[in-house]
Amino acid sequence: MFIQIPLITTIIAIVACLYASYSDLKRGIIPNKLTFPLIGLGIILNGIYALMIGEIWYIIICLVVTGVIFVLGYIFWKFGAWAGGDVKLFTALAALLPFYPALVSYKILGIQFPLEATYPFPLTLIINSILSILPFILIYVFYVVAKTKPYLMGELLSPVKEYKKTWFLPWLSLHQ
């Protein structure tokens, strides 16, 4: 019997992220009792998988990627961009999913999908997380500025006004 460890780690990661999101929204914290066991479980499961497939490099790469993601997260934490729970959660995700979890594979016009990046999958998670939250951060910044320092709104919107003057208005006059 062959155990699908990549599928198991993917399911664990999804359930853990759902719980972490709930906990973060409810109490404002991602608990250590979730993240630390996930890091250990991810390393153990990927170590077993490396032995099963006979590729010792799999676990070595898993450990390196997990360490790199921890260091990157720690730097984000030091700069105040992330909280400690985020660092530990992304480290746990790196331990669980060091490689792209190719659970579904298909071809369109002879091209194999999904396309995989040349960098480790946990970096994809971080980049997508940052990109997906960016609009909410911008909306929050505008809200805080409008509430606390309304006189700064003109300065905040000045690049948009300049862009309209230099780009939109000449284009509009050409098409009238």
Side-chain angles (χ1 to χ4, degrees):
M1 183 175 113
F2 186 70
I3 300 172
Q4 293 291 327
I5 290 181
L7 175 63
I8 293 169
T9 59
T10 302
I11 292 169
I12 291 170
I14 291 168
V15 171
C17 285
L18 289 172
Y19 177 75
S21 297
Y22 171 77
S23 175
D24 200 15
L25 288 172
K26 184 91 170 158
R27 298 184 319 220
I29 191 166
I30 299 172
N32 289 344
K33 67 181 178 181
L34 171 71
T35 55
F36 289 140
L38 285 176
I39 294 168
L41 184 63
I43 291 170
I44 290 168
L45 287 174
N46 282 306
I48 292 169
Y49 186 66
L51 293 173
M52 288 172 61
I53 63 173
E55 290 289 335
I56 195 69
W57 283 105
Y58 193 90
I59 188 62
I60 293 170
I61 292 171
C62 173
L63 291 170
V64 169
V65 167
T66 302
V68 167
I69 294 301
F70 172 74
V71 169
L72 183 64
Y74 183 79
I75 291 169
F76 285 170
W77 175 71
K78 276 304 225 183
F79 284 128
W82 278 5
D86 299 324
V87 175
K88 294 175 282 187
L89 182 62
F90 276 99
T91 303
L93 291 174
L96 285 166
L97 305 169
F99 298 100
Y100 188 86
L103 302 176
V104 177
S105 182
Y106 54 93
K107 282 188 177 184
I108 297 177
L109 300 174
I111 300 172
Q112 185 68 38
F113 286 94
L115 299 175
E116 294 182 25
T118 56
Y119 47 85
F121 180 67
L123 284 177
T124 301
L125 291 175
I126 290 173
I127 291 167
N128 288 339
S129 296
I130 291 169
L131 290 176
S132 66
I133 198 71
L134 191 60
F136 299 104
I137 291 172
L138 291 174
I139 290 168
Y140 180 72
V141 165
F142 278 103
Y143 172 76
V144 169
V145 168
K147 273 297 221 194
T148 60
K149 300 178 182 178
Y151 58 90
L152 289 178
M153 282 303 283
E155 191 174 326
L156 208 60
L157 293 172
S158 65
V160 175
K161 291 176 184 174
E162 284 299 316
Y163 178 76
K164 280 175 133 178
K165 286 180 191 173
T166 60
W167 184 254
F168 183 69
L169 292 178
W171 179 84
L172 185 62
S173 65
L174 289 174
H175 291 87
Q176 286 183 351

